[in-house]
Amino acid sequence: MYPINTICDVVKGKPLQLFSDVEITELVYDSRKVQSPASALFFALKTSHGNGHLFLQDAYKTGIRNFIVEEDVDLMLLPESNVIRVESSLDALQQLAIFHRSHFHVPVIGITGSNGKTIVKEWLFQLLDDEYNIVRSPKSYNSQIGVPLSVWQMADAHTLAIFEAGISQPGEMAGLERIIQPSIGVLTNIGEAHSEGFSTLQQKLSEKLNLFTNSEVLILEEKNAAGISLPAKLFTWGSSENATLKVVSIEKRGGKTSIHLQFSGSGFQVTIPFTDGASVQNAITCCCVLLYLNIDIDRIKERFSQLHAVDMRLHFVHGINHCTIINDSYSADLTSLYIALNFLAQQSAAQKRTVILSDFVESGKSDEILYKNIARAFEKFGVKRVIGIGKHIGEVLPRYLKGEIQAQFYLSTDNFVQHFRTSSFLDEVILVKGARIFAFERIALLLQQKVHQTVLEINLNAIVNNLKQYQQIVKPGTKLMAMVKAFAYGSGGAEIASVLQYNNVAYLGVAYTDEGADLRKEGISLPIMVMNADETSLPSIVDYNLQPVIYSFEQLHLFEQYIKDQGLSAWPVHLEVETGMNRLGFAVSDMPEVGAYLAKSPYLKIVSMFSHLAASEDFAQDAFTALQAGRYQEAVQEVKKHISYSFIQHIANSAAIVRHPDLQFDMVRLGIGLYGVENETHRLHLQPVATLRTTIAQLKTVKKGETVSYNRRGEVKEDAIIATVRIGYADGYSRRLSNGKGKMWVNGHLAPVIGTICMDMTMIDVTGIPNVKEGDEVIVFGKELPVQQVAEWMGTIPYEVMTSVSQRVKRVYFQE
Ligand SMILES: *Cc1c(COP(=O)(O)O)cnc(C)c1O
């Protein structure tokens, strides 16, 4: 779009090296997400999450040749590139977006508020898609980085833009205003005062209003409009006579809400297929925007009845014949396709990649250009099989698909469903992505396994967040080994390992050889340490390129012999030293002998030497921890006397990383913290990763004096309403939680277990909890009910609760 020279002027940069005058079309700050590297400009950003300058080489490797930096860089490492130095890369990105924005004069809707921004944006898109050619923020791109990237997408063909703005600290909104320059302002719900770093509601509101200083109109709820002084005209909604759009009444019936409204003296009614309060508020806000844009009332009514839920999360589930299904049957545009393909590539190191895609609807681009770009994206992300559904895709896409991609086309979803055979899908990761009218959820359902309705939901963003929290407190240069033993503490092996591999951890740790072999079969290529490799598993260690821990002389000799017999040499091994845990490891006094022996062996090579702390989380045991560390260092010195090469030293587990930073050494072994569980100190901002949910199978009224469940332990003291839920001890819900010890989260309330827990079912007392229905969701643990609490009721630790969730409970993974 702009020559690099122009960009250099716009950002007031100093060219450190100018190689050629490329036309820049794409802006990136994460080199893994680049689409067209040759014309991309990489911004090396410094944020609380990391430093982009550390990834310049990676970016260069992907083919990027244009860079904006704010630190000194070694130009020798970036030959034949354009490199521009600025004061602040983030500021440069924002200046460029402001420059780009200045070329467009179409209406721009700017949305902010505490809740509902993304929903309102997506709903406005659904409601106005026929009338306008719309550009909008992808996903929830509303930050200091996300907003400039959103605005950069504006092109001549667009007739309306919708962008959201969010801030994490006071003072940021004015900057976003300059980038978005909304002509139409929308303020959604303003949440609690104390959230988002504000002390009063007034302070928060006035900060948010900075987005609208130059808007022609501001749409908002009337209760927020009091005392606002802005040049903008106010378009308010509410129940008073003064509101621009008067809400006369709201009626909920049969899963729908009818909203009676009055505008400019005439009354009308819209019906939406939702009943929750937030949806009603968001719908009314959208209605104001449509009225302001002069959309006909009949049209508004029709559009609102078709509104559908917005689920911005990408998630995957296990499907038929070892397939993994990524269900994104909601939007069909290029940006969201790239996001989904990126997710597909990240989740499928070994499986074949398949995409089921509908006709694409993106006005302003010809079918030819659109499908050519799609075909190119398929190549880039290694898609091997494409199933196209719709008239256009079948006509145009085949012209651009490379021969090695297997392709099939169907005219309609019905057509596909009629021809569907389970056996035609095997060992694939399938991205199901289509425009709403194609109703691809029917296809997703066919591909998914049917299991009972108890699921363990895994939040992959939370894993990444937790990892970053620890990366920030680990000293620079210290490596991180992620412990993924026991199916990553119950969360799922390969799925979690893929995310960790993508996010640059150095090592993985598992307990047994089979766990490591499974990760390799799923395409994990990181080095894997196996803590407990017995004699029978040695062939697998070698076949799957795993690194065993050596903890005894017997094992040392066996393994050395095996490597020798295979004609191999210098196989990587880890030495474990016993310092006080008294589980596995050589004694400190064995070390001189071990060192001397390994110094002479051409067959084995020490990659690392470690020990395990017994009580690093316990303040009362700090002296013991120090003793263990001392013994460990003594052992290391003994080995070093014999071994001339260097090896990695590590002793810290999750708690030690935080509580004993001086013990981080060369590497740390992160376990429980990665899954969002921290001991009481709560020094990091961890997010729970796993949520165990189930549903209510039946509700019954049980009279006073009756009993519930086996052995009649659950006495009903007053007439009660009892819910039977679909989880039992065979799912990992321990019998120790019977008779009131355990509680579950139902509709915002805790409901105690009544009676004995059965193998597949549990009864809970929901008396007095409003609006409980059969089929309702029940949370066993998760954000609302921390796993630590359930562990306490059970008389154990979170590790046991998490790893006990049985494999029959389906794991569902999602990414926001
Ligand atoms: C499980 C394990 C860890 C991780 O411990 P957390 O307390 O979960 O962080 C580290 N090292 C070894 C040897 C382990 O077995």
Side-chain angles (χ1 to χ4, degrees):
M1 277 188 285
Y2 305 106
I4 188 80
N5 278 320
T6 308
I7 293 180
C8 187
D9 291 344
V10 170
V11 302
K12 301 198 176 61
K14 184 167 143 244
L16 295 182
Q17 175 172 294
L18 277 189
F19 180 73
S20 62
D21 200 14
V22 194
E23 185 93 356
I24 298 298
T25 61
E26 187 184 342
L27 310 182
V28 275
Y29 67 96
D30 179 341
S31 60
R32 297 167 303 189
K33 300 201 171 130
V34 63
Q35 295 169 16
S36 329
S39 61
L41 175 59
F42 180 85
F43 287 79
L45 299 177
K46 277 165 120 175
T47 66
S48 58
H49 286 327
N51 182 351
H53 297 82
L54 300 175
F55 297 94
L56 289 170
Q57 287 270 242
D58 290 338
Y60 189 84
K61 275 197 217 119
T62 66
I64 296 176
R65 293 291 178 271
N66 301 285
F67 301 91
I68 298 244
V69 297
E70 61 177 68
E71 280 180 0
D72 286 331
V73 295
D74 184 356
L75 293 172
M76 303 282 276
L77 298 175
L78 306 171
E80 305 189 357
S81 302
N82 298 313
V83 185
I84 295 171
R85 169 80 189 252
V86 293
E87 273 298 300
S88 146
S89 301
L90 178 61
D91 192 48
L93 173 66
Q94 298 180 344
Q95 289 305 324
L96 184 55
I98 293 172
F99 173 73
H100 183 62
R101 170 72 183 87
S102 70
H103 294 87
F104 301 95
H105 304 286
V106 295
V108 173
I109 303 177
I111 307 170
T112 194
S114 304
N115 305 302
K117 296 185 284 290
T118 304
I119 307 279
V120 167
K121 180 199 71 195
E122 290 299 316
W123 275 0
L124 285 174
F125 173 74
Q126 290 177 26
L127 295 162
L128 291 165
D129 189 28
D130 274 358
E131 268 77 15
Y132 293 93
N133 181 3
I134 302 174
V135 53
R136 68 193 198 280
S137 324
K139 305 210 285 181
S140 307
Y141 276 30
N142 61 28
S143 66
Q144 297 287 313
I145 299 170
V147 168
L149 295 179
S150 301
V151 167
W152 178 256
Q153 297 181 106
M154 291 182 88
D156 289 336
H158 296 125
T159 55
L160 178 71
I162 313 178
F163 299 124
E164 53 177 290
I167 51 171
S168 51
Q169 48 199 4
E172 289 181 342
M173 194 59 95
L176 296 182
E177 192 280 332
R178 282 192 292 279
I179 306 173
I180 299 177
Q181 294 178 33
S183 53
I184 301 173
V186 174
L187 183 70
T188 63
N189 176 296
I190 291 285
E192 312 265 305
H194 54 261
S195 61
E196 303 164 82
F198 291 98
S199 51
T200 68
L201 207 58
Q202 205 48 46
Q203 186 198 10
K204 181 162 164 178
L205 183 64
S206 68
E207 168 70 23
K208 300 219 182 245
L209 291 175
N210 285 332
L211 182 62
F212 310 116
T213 44
N214 295 303
S215 304
E216 64 195 36
V217 62
L218 171 59
I219 291 164
L220 75 176
E221 192 175 353
E222 61 181 354
K223 69 167 194 224
N224 293 325
I228 286 187
S229 73
L230 277 178
K233 183 165 98 194
L234 299 187
F235 188 124
T236 58
W237 64 268
S239 53
S240 89
E241 288 304 327
N242 298 330
T244 322
L245 177 67
K246 184 177 172 202
V247 181
V248 182
S249 70
I250 294 172
E251 278 168 48
K252 301 185 182 184
R253 203 178 313 126
K256 295 192 172 160
T257 306
S258 296
I259 312 169
H260 299 258
L261 299 163
Q262 199 167 356
F263 180 66
S264 298
S266 51
F268 65 104
Q269 177 185 328
V270 295
T271 302
I272 57 167
F274 301 94
T275 54
D276 61 290
S279 292
V280 172
Q281 280 192 1
N282 292 334
I284 298 173
T285 303
C286 290
C287 189
C288 294
V289 178
L290 269 67
L291 289 167
Y292 181 76
L293 291 171
N294 285 320
I295 309 287
D296 196 69
I297 292 198
D298 286 334
R299 199 98 193 101
I300 293 182
K301 287 193 204 162
E302 179 201 320
R303 283 300 173 124
F304 269 93
S305 64
Q306 294 160 5
L307 214 52
H308 54 81
V310 175
D311 187 353
M312 302 305 287
R313 311 180 317 182
L314 276 172
H315 53 262
F316 63 91
V317 294
H318 293 299
I320 53 169
N321 304 334
H322 300 110
C323 288
T324 304
I325 318 300
I326 302 177
N327 185 358
D328 191 20
S329 43
Y330 153 68
S331 61
D333 57 83
L334 269 183
T335 311
S336 72
L337 177 68
Y338 281 120
I339 293 170
L341 284 174
N342 205 56
F343 186 59
L344 176 82
Q346 182 191 321
Q347 286 310 327
S348 59
Q351 280 166 301
K352 172 165 136 187
R353 293 171 197 165
T354 298
V355 176
I356 304 182
L357 196 71
S358 75
D359 274 353
F360 257 39
V361 265
E362 193 157 324
S363 33
K365 274 210 185 79
S366 75
D367 273 2
E368 299 293 330
I369 295 186
L370 197 57
Y371 289 110
K372 194 168 154 187
N373 283 335
I374 292 174
R376 228 191 272 147
F378 286 166
E379 267 168 57
K380 174 176 148 79
F381 289 100
V383 174
K384 289 284 172 316
R385 178 181 183 192
V386 173
I387 296 171
I389 297 178
K391 209 163 151 290
H392 295 271
I393 192 168
E395 272 168 25
V396 190
L397 187 62
R399 280 192 238 148
Y400 299 106
L401 279 185
K402 279 268 166 65
E404 57 264 30
I405 299 184
Q406 187 195 341
Q408 292 150 279
F409 294 93
Y410 298 88
L411 275 177
S412 66
T413 306
D414 272 340
N415 200 231
F416 172 85
V417 171
Q418 277 157 20
H419 291 93
F420 177 81
R421 272 181 302 123
T422 313
S423 58
S424 54
F425 296 90
L426 176 67
D427 268 329
E428 297 162 51
V429 189
I430 309 172
L431 170 64
V432 181
K433 180 150 188 62
R436 195 70 195 176
I437 43 168
F438 282 85
F440 271 13
E441 52 278 9
R442 289 171 63 201
I443 298 180
L445 222 54
L446 284 177
L447 293 168
Q448 278 166 26
Q449 269 169 342
K450 292 176 186 66
V451 285
H452 78 305
Q453 295 179 43
T454 299
V455 296
L456 186 69
E457 196 179 73
I458 308 296
N459 181 346
L460 298 175
N461 290 103
I463 293 265
V464 176
N465 168 73
N466 299 344
L467 176 65
K468 289 193 169 144
Q469 292 291 320
Y470 282 94
Q471 278 166 339
Q472 274 171 48
I473 58 161
V474 168
K475 301 200 175 92
T478 299
K479 293 186 167 56
L480 205 145
M481 173 186 280
M483 302 308 286
V484 293
K485 58 195 184 193
F487 294 103
Y489 291 45
S491 305
E495 294 83 1
I496 304 301
S498 294
V499 172
L500 297 168
Q501 176 162 297
Y502 185 78
N503 286 285
N504 305 317
V505 311
Y507 264 90
L508 295 175
V510 295
Y512 295 101
T513 308
D514 286 347
E515 296 177 328
D518 284 344
L519 294 179
R520 283 282 181 260
K521 287 181 203 155
E522 301 286 340
I524 301 299
S525 57
L526 284 177
I528 300 175
M529 179 178 97
V530 180
M531 293 192 289
N532 216 328
D534 67 25
E535 193 185 341
T536 59
S537 75
L538 295 182
S540 291
I541 289 278
V542 170
D543 288 348
Y544 292 103
N545 189 19
L546 306 170
Q547 307 180 353
V549 168
I550 305 287
Y551 52 79
S552 71
F553 284 110
E554 192 199 356
Q555 204 203 6
L556 173 63
H557 297 141
L558 278 170
F559 192 64
E560 188 191 36
Q561 188 63 43
Y562 185 77
I563 292 298
K564 191 170 162 185
D565 292 347
Q566 300 299 305
L568 299 167
S569 63
W571 194 270
V573 297
H574 302 261
L575 287 186
E576 182 166 2
V577 201
E578 182 54 74
T579 58
M581 173 80 177
N582 286 318
R583 191 169 69 174
L584 286 180
F586 286 104
V588 177
S589 57
D590 291 335
M591 286 347 272
E593 192 181 338
V594 175
Y597 188 90
L598 282 168
K600 289 210 264 334
S601 172
Y603 304 107
L604 304 181
K605 180 163 193 240
I606 306 171
V607 216
S608 91
M609 189 169 156
F610 74 98
S611 188
H612 194 40
L613 297 171
S616 64
E617 71 288 350
D618 190 352
F619 168 78
Q621 297 294 343
D622 282 353
F624 186 71
T625 299
L627 182 75
Q628 280 197 280
R631 288 175 178 162
Y632 169 69
Q633 274 161 315
E634 185 189 329
V636 169
Q637 290 318 318
E638 284 304 329
V639 172
K640 274 193 170 168
K641 282 184 193 155
H642 301 275
I643 303 289
S644 52
Y645 53 86
S646 66
F647 49 83
I648 303 171
Q649 299 172 32
H650 49 119
I651 195 168
N653 64 344
S654 302
I657 297 173
V658 181
R659 296 200 59 250
H660 306 286
D662 53 319
L663 300 184
Q664 292 179 1
F665 301 142
D666 302 327
M667 183 156 83
V668 295
R669 299 189 305 272
L670 177 59
I672 193 92
L674 196 53
Y675 309 98
V677 178
E678 208 174 355
N679 61 342
E680 300 80 71
T681 51
H682 289 295
R683 286 198 221 165
L684 300 173
H685 299 284
L686 300 187
Q687 294 167 5
V689 165
T691 302
L692 180 58
R693 326 172 172 271
T694 183
T695 49
I696 298 179
Q698 194 176 36
L699 278 177
K700 52 191 60 184
T701 310
V702 181
K703 290 265 174 262
K704 174 176 173 180
E706 291 199 47
T707 60
V708 174
S709 195
Y710 290 123
N711 311 112
R712 310 198 56 203
R713 298 257 162 71
E715 272 174 49
V716 176
K717 306 245 165 61
E718 289 296 331
D719 290 2
I721 301 175
I722 304 299
T724 304
V725 296
R726 296 179 167 104
I727 189 170
Y729 58 78
D731 299 291
Y733 196 66
S734 170
R735 263 183 106 249
R736 286 177 273 173
L737 294 162
S738 296
N739 301 312
K741 293 237 174 55
K743 299 185 179 67
M744 294 187 195
W745 185 259
V746 186
N747 273 355
H749 297 265
L750 283 176
V753 172
I754 175 162
T756 324
I757 289 167
C758 310
M759 187 185 291
D760 314 296
M761 277 169 271
T762 299
M763 275 65 84
I764 53 177
D765 186 347
V766 295
T767 314
I769 301 180
N771 293 324
V772 180
K773 300 182 298 304
E774 289 178 357
D776 275 3
E777 180 182 270
V778 173
I779 290 175
V780 180
F781 62 76
K783 194 161 94 191
E784 300 80 355
L785 178 52
V787 65
Q788 289 94 317
Q789 174 66 71
V790 178
E792 203 181 302
W793 289 331
M794 218 202 254
T796 183
I797 51 175
Y799 297 69
E800 185 181 348
V801 182
M802 289 159 62
T803 53
S804 300
V805 178
S806 79
Q807 287 301 315
R808 90 168 177 193
V809 174
K810 178 154 125 170
R811 267 67 173 169
V812 175
Y813 301 86
F814 73 90
Q815 192 173 45
E816 272 155 352

